[in-house]
Amino acid sequence: MTRATQSPPHGLPPVLCGTAQEPDTPENVGKADLLAHDAPVVSPEMAADLARDLYGISGDICPLSAEKDANFRIRLDTGEAALLKVTNAIEDRAVTDLQTAALMHLAAVDPSLPVQRICASLAGRSSEIMTGPDGQTHVVRLMTFLDGTMLNSATPGPGIYHQIGALQARLIRALRGLFHPAAGHFLQWDIKRAHGLRPMLDAVGDVDLRRRLTHLLDRFSAEIAPRLPHLRAQVVHNDFNPHNLLVDAPNATRLTGVIDFGDMVHTPIACDLAVACSYQIAEGAEPMKQITEMITGFNAVLPLEDEELDLLPDLIRLRHATTLSVGAWRAQRYPDNADYILRHDASALRGLNALDEFGNTAAIKALQAAVRTPLSE
């Protein structure tokens, strides 16, 4: 780690609440394949300079792994920690501002939610602009840092899945008043955009799997997509997965944080819930066990509607179909990175198989039973 030379004045800059201020610079192309572009080349020394010059803080600088951005944890002498994020130049500036606005909105609406907070720059702004060595410009933001263990690296204890559902519902409820012009941006990982997967199916090498995915997309077009406009919709996190959830210890007893708002979009609430559920399909004879615990927690905070429950199993399948289709398509385009791109394929296929074997009728009955579960259970 590199230590910045200037001591922090009094700790982290003040947290901003309200509406984000968009950078006074041109927007980038919004539909680019972000993962096809390298993360910004920012050294720890450069990060220390940015933290000092833009935010007036310094401390121990530690680079963090990230797919598309350059992230650094800064540990101040006060013991506080911050995340310095330098965003990929190719990301649409309006989409970046959506993420910033969401965190500021959450700070104002529900300050008790365990999410990061946006810190003000010395100029009082929610973000700043830097020019890299290659001449590209990047949005720079400073956020509070959430310590904890990622759920994907922990052993969930009793009640964790109920907590996941309840926390997701709280987050949705807090975001429902957020409006932003970039919320309708195109994102293939948004389940309501599943029709866009069809041209990618040729890249799926397994003929039987390609046939299954084609049939699922046919059902989506004919039966599912026409029902989506009737569902409750709003801006949502859209990536409530175990890599983005923090817990208190390797043997988890309590959720402590939600991170990574990079896939935010305006979509049906049921689609957001389906993303979360897709990662929690259990192995064995009871594939819906963890999901039903989540649904019980979710429903206690934000009661689900019958139409949402009826569509949820199919929406979970479509999330798996998205993982398998996008993965195959991207691996074909970037074969040197195929192992990394396809790292979630096995679990997606397992989840798809488990739901198909369990059946829609049984899955819907399990979900209906979950929302009828008394809160004391």
Side-chain angles (χ1 to χ4, degrees):
M1 292 192 293
T2 301
R3 185 163 184 83
T5 56
Q6 180 178 318
S7 298
H10 302 291
L12 293 181
V15 167
L16 289 171
C17 301
T19 303
Q21 301 170 25
E22 296 189 45
D24 186 21
T25 54
E27 293 180 0
N28 290 310
V29 178
K31 296 184 181 180
D33 186 354
L34 282 173
L35 297 186
H37 297 264
D38 293 333
V41 179
V42 180
S43 67
E45 291 76 17
M46 291 172 62
D49 290 342
L50 290 169
R52 181 192 64 237
D53 297 342
L54 297 178
Y55 294 95
I57 64 169
S58 62
D60 290 326
I61 306 288
C62 180
L64 303 176
S65 61
E67 290 183 326
K68 60 186 178 66
D69 301 326
N71 295 332
F72 298 86
R73 186 189 65 209
I74 306 174
R75 187 74 66 179
L76 280 63
D77 289 344
T78 61
E80 297 173 286
L83 175 72
L84 183 75
K85 178 179 283 290
V86 182
T87 301
N88 198 305
I90 202 68
E91 181 169 279
D92 187 339
R93 294 280 170 81
V95 173
T96 304
D97 185 69
L98 165 64
Q99 300 157 20
T100 304
L103 291 175
M104 292 169 62
H105 176 84
L106 293 174
V109 172
D110 189 350
S112 65
L113 275 170
V115 299
Q116 293 167 293
R117 306 302 183 198
I118 298 292
C119 298
S121 69
L122 291 174
R125 290 189 283 263
S126 58
S127 63
E128 295 289 348
I129 299 296
M130 69 157 284
T131 301
D134 58 0
Q136 290 188 309
T137 57
H138 307 272
V139 176
V140 181
R141 289 167 293 173
L142 186 75
M143 308 175 188
T144 56
F145 187 86
L146 297 182
D147 281 308
T149 301
M150 286 186 180
L151 179 59
N152 69 296
S153 302
T155 300
I160 284 292
Y161 296 106
H162 188 283
Q163 291 181 43
I164 293 173
L167 182 56
Q168 184 180 21
R170 280 186 63 199
L171 185 61
I172 290 173
R173 190 173 61 185
L175 285 170
R176 64 187 173 189
L178 175 65
F179 298 90
H180 193 280
H185 74 105
F186 178 87
L187 181 71
Q188 189 59 71
W189 290 98
D190 178 4
I191 294 174
K192 75 172 186 288
R193 306 282 191 178
H195 57 82
L197 299 174
R198 203 173 290 276
M200 301 180 182
L201 294 182
D202 287 344
V204 178
D206 185 304
V207 175
D208 289 337
L209 177 59
R210 185 164 67 245
R211 186 179 300 114
R212 290 172 65 190
L213 296 179
T214 300
H215 176 68
L216 180 56
L217 293 186
D218 288 343
R219 284 197 60 238
F220 173 76
S221 297
E223 303 173 26
I224 301 168
R227 298 169 68 181
L228 295 183
H230 302 283
L231 304 184
R232 295 178 294 177
Q234 62 170 74
V235 176
V236 297
H237 183 277
N238 197 46
D239 200 12
F240 216 75
N241 78 70
H243 291 82
N244 293 333
L245 299 176
L246 301 176
V247 291
D248 55 348
N251 291 315
T253 64
R254 179 172 55 89
L255 282 178
T256 61
V258 182
I259 60 174
D260 194 351
F261 284 66
D263 277 358
M264 293 194 75
V265 72
H266 187 284
T267 200
I269 289 171
C271 291
D272 188 44
L273 181 55
V275 171
C277 291
S278 71
Y279 292 92
Q280 305 299 348
I281 295 177
E283 298 193 45
E286 296 182 277
M288 298 290 290
K289 183 178 183 342
Q290 293 161 189
I291 291 176
T292 54
E293 290 181 35
M294 286 175 55
I295 295 300
T296 302
F298 188 104
N299 193 71
V301 176
L302 186 62
L304 286 157
E305 299 178 353
D306 291 342
E307 185 83 348
E308 292 167 335
L309 288 172
D310 288 348
L311 283 173
L312 193 57
D314 277 323
L315 295 175
I316 296 172
R317 284 190 183 89
L318 286 162
R319 173 65 178 199
H320 291 314
T322 301
T323 299
L324 294 165
S325 302
V326 172
W329 179 75
R330 295 195 71 250
Q332 189 178 75
R333 294 182 71 193
Y334 313 111
D336 292 343
N337 204 26
D339 289 345
Y340 176 78
I341 291 170
L342 299 174
R343 67 194 184 283
H344 297 306
D345 268 29
S347 60
L349 184 57
R350 180 181 65 79
L352 188 63
N353 289 339
L355 273 180
D356 283 349
E357 291 171 11
F358 195 68
N360 246 28
T361 300
I364 292 171
K365 285 183 178 179
L367 295 172
Q368 291 171 337
V371 302
R372 292 194 297 267
T373 301
L375 297 183
S376 59
E377 291 189 8

